[in-house]
Amino acid sequence: MTATSFYRETWADIDLDAVANNVRNMKTRIPEDVALLAVVKANGYGHGALQVARTALDNGASWLAVALFDEALALRKQGIEAPILVLSPIPPQHVNHAAKYHIALTVSDGEWVKRARENYTAEQSVSLHISCDTGMGRIGIRNKDEASTLVSEIRRDPRFVIEGMFTHFATADQDDEAYFNEQYGRFEMMVDWIQELGARPAVIHCGNSATTLKYPAERRHLFNMVRYGIAMYGLSPSPEMVKQLPFVLKRAMSLHSRLTYVKQVEKGSFIGYGATYQAPDDEWIGTVPIGYADGWLRGFHDTDVLIDGQRCPIVGRICMDQFMCRLPHAYPEGTEVTLIGKNGAEEITADERAQQLQTINYEVTCTIHPRVPRVYWKNGKKIATSNPILTAADET
Ligand SMILES: Cc1ncc(COP(=O)(O)O)c(C=O)c1O
């Protein structure tokens, strides 16, 4: 059990009401018989897998997906009973664990099944989802021969159950739909192949957030389950998609710290590693206790943070655990600093941070390290905190 107390002045607030809202909004827009799978891999895109999973399940999701078997097991051990799918291939020797803990696995090739069979000693069955590579080029069967080899390998042991099949789109978030349509067409063909081989997967899924936001009512694009990731956290799958969102996404994560040291420096003083910043005048400098080891990456060095409702520039290089910023005047130590989120009338979004790093919002939230405690809010109240650096036994 991880600790709930923390002893540092940096934390991420996670608004579970925002997650609930984003799930409910999507659930009411998709056809009733289309299941919503909440993607909570990578610690719920940095938001906290367990809390997000519980919130999603309470608000209309009926499945969960993660990337790693370890992530699935952690959810099971913490009491999650809903179906969980591991989206990436796992080493075949772990098939017994999957069977024991009722965790569904992704399969991409007959060889994996053969090796899993050789290791399979558990009595319980294991559910498999066939991954189809329709153009993502990552994992999955690509042609009829691979489909047929895979299905016949699976059939050699009745404990293997073909529960699902899926594909993943490479360009669903882009305006140009040509490649998306190509992939979609290929997937329809693959569904036919699998059915011609006599398999009847109960769940067929292809829609990620972008697909589901674009075609919420179009069953033909959704089959009978959608995999809802980034939009559940309140973020648009791409900047292009912002203009076509069918409802307002509520952002769930904000990132905060406090000034731990404030001083006035003289004109000409240098700040930080490499002495890259030299104060052009006498000025007030604040130190903020978050650095690149927290996922507050060095690439943010020329950006702002929010203090007292205004933008204050970061000065000098970001250190491993701290950075410095220029203040308009003295502020007391303990003053709140917002790195992502609202502060007064100002806001810096994860999208703005992504632009600053020339990356995507997914990377910004996933990168916030677990050593930054997460504080969970529900109905406007703090309901939990998590600090995986300490165990519950360390709490005083
Ligand atoms: C296989 C798979 N399905 C679904 C998702 C969720 O995608 P999104 O976060 O864009 O909704 C991902 C995310 O990377 C994925 O890899």
Side-chain angles (χ1 to χ4, degrees):
M1 273 269 283
T2 61
T4 53
S5 346
F6 60 92
Y7 304 90
R8 64 179 300 191
E9 301 255 58
T10 294
W11 73 98
D13 278 329
I14 307 299
D15 180 357
L16 295 174
D17 296 325
V19 173
N21 186 82
N22 298 328
V23 172
R24 277 199 306 270
N25 251 327
M26 184 51 95
K27 184 64 185 152
T28 55
R29 276 168 171 80
I30 57 179
E32 210 165 313
D33 56 347
V34 172
L36 191 147
L37 172 152
V39 183
V40 295
K41 60 191 172 127
N43 194 30
Y45 291 36
H47 294 65
L50 179 65
Q51 293 288 349
V52 171
R54 282 188 183 142
T55 304
L57 292 169
D58 286 347
N59 286 279
S62 47
W63 276 75
L64 300 172
V66 290
L68 313 178
F69 189 75
D70 304 56
E71 294 174 327
L73 198 53
L75 289 171
R76 274 283 176 270
K77 297 259 176 179
Q78 292 173 103
I80 296 288
E81 290 176 356
I84 305 177
L85 170 63
V86 180
L87 292 167
S88 313
I90 75 160
Q93 63 269 31
H94 302 316
V95 65
N96 293 306
H97 277 76
K100 180 173 171 194
Y101 291 99
H102 309 293
I103 291 168
L105 300 179
T106 290
V107 274
S108 291
D109 62 280
E111 191 51 36
W112 184 96
V113 180
K114 211 190 261 178
R115 290 178 52 210
R117 215 175 40 236
E118 287 159 11
N119 287 279
Y120 203 162
T121 54
E123 281 174 15
Q124 300 98 326
S125 60
V126 68
S127 299
L128 303 177
H129 289 227
I130 296 173
S131 166
C132 301
D133 183 0
T134 55
M136 176 71 183
R138 191 163 66 178
I139 54 168
I141 52 166
R142 286 165 300 168
N143 54 48
K144 226 171 176 169
D145 280 352
E146 287 177 353
S148 142
T149 308
L150 175 58
V151 171
S152 59
E153 283 297 339
I154 291 173
R155 287 237 170 90
R156 292 179 67 173
D157 190 321
R159 290 171 299 176
F160 288 123
V161 176
I162 301 177
E163 181 183 45
M165 66 181 291
F166 72 99
T167 194
H168 192 50
F169 295 117
T171 61
D173 58 315
Q174 294 175 15
D175 286 341
D176 184 343
E177 294 182 357
Y179 195 70
F180 170 85
N181 287 330
E182 236 178 83
Q183 275 198 270
Y184 182 77
R186 249 177 258 150
F187 187 54
E188 279 187 313
M189 194 169 68
M190 287 182 169
V191 171
D192 288 345
W193 294 347
I194 295 294
Q195 290 179 342
E196 279 161 21
L197 289 163
R200 295 280 176 272
V203 273
I204 302 179
H205 44 112
C206 60
N208 53 0
S209 292
T211 313
T212 316
L213 288 164
K214 276 190 190 171
Y215 315 104
E218 287 181 50
R219 148 168 288 295
R220 108 183 172 82
H221 280 105
L222 307 179
F223 291 92
N224 61 356
M225 185 158 82
V226 295
R227 301 189 306 272
Y228 196 36
I230 194 75
M232 179 172 65
Y233 302 97
L235 299 173
S236 172
S238 68
E240 281 158 274
M241 277 207 61
V242 172
K243 55 187 181 302
Q244 39 183 321
L245 296 174
F247 54 90
V248 176
L249 296 174
K250 295 205 169 161
R251 294 187 274 272
M253 180 191 278
S254 57
L255 180 63
H256 310 268
S257 190
R258 292 187 190 281
L259 296 174
T260 46
Y261 197 75
V262 176
K263 60 180 179 285
Q264 193 170 32
V265 300
E266 284 170 11
K267 176 178 175 174
S269 303
F270 289 99
I271 305 286
Y273 284 120
T276 55
Y277 178 78
Q278 187 171 25
D281 289 300
D282 289 359
E283 54 191 30
W284 286 93
I285 298 291
T287 300
V288 186
I290 175 171
Y292 61 77
D294 297 301
W296 185 247
L297 302 176
R298 279 164 54 106
F300 287 126
H301 67 101
D302 271 336
T303 72
D304 298 325
V305 292
L306 302 179
I307 299 173
D308 193 21
Q310 57 206 310
R311 288 182 179 246
C312 298
I314 294 173
V315 293
R317 292 183 183 155
I318 288 165
C319 315
M320 190 184 289
D321 321 289
Q322 305 177 76
F323 71 86
M324 282 67 79
C325 61
R326 189 170 65 231
L327 307 173
H329 51 79
Y331 275 104
E333 287 163 11
T335 300
E336 186 164 329
V337 179
T338 302
L339 300 99
I340 297 173
K342 285 191 183 138
N343 185 311
E346 274 285 353
E347 181 173 15
I348 298 180
T349 61
D351 289 294
E352 183 179 340
R353 291 299 182 201
Q355 241 178 358
Q356 291 165 350
L357 291 185
Q358 294 180 311
T359 183
I360 52 175
N361 51 23
Y362 297 65
E363 198 175 37
V364 172
T365 63
C366 284
T367 308
I368 305 302
H369 194 271
R371 82 175 192 166
V372 174
R374 270 47 173 189
V375 179
Y376 297 97
W377 297 83
K378 187 175 172 182
N379 299 328
K381 289 202 183 88
K382 192 188 290 188
I383 59 147
T385 51
S386 75
N387 174 11
I389 297 182
L390 298 176
T391 66
D394 298 319
E395 293 187 281
T396 52

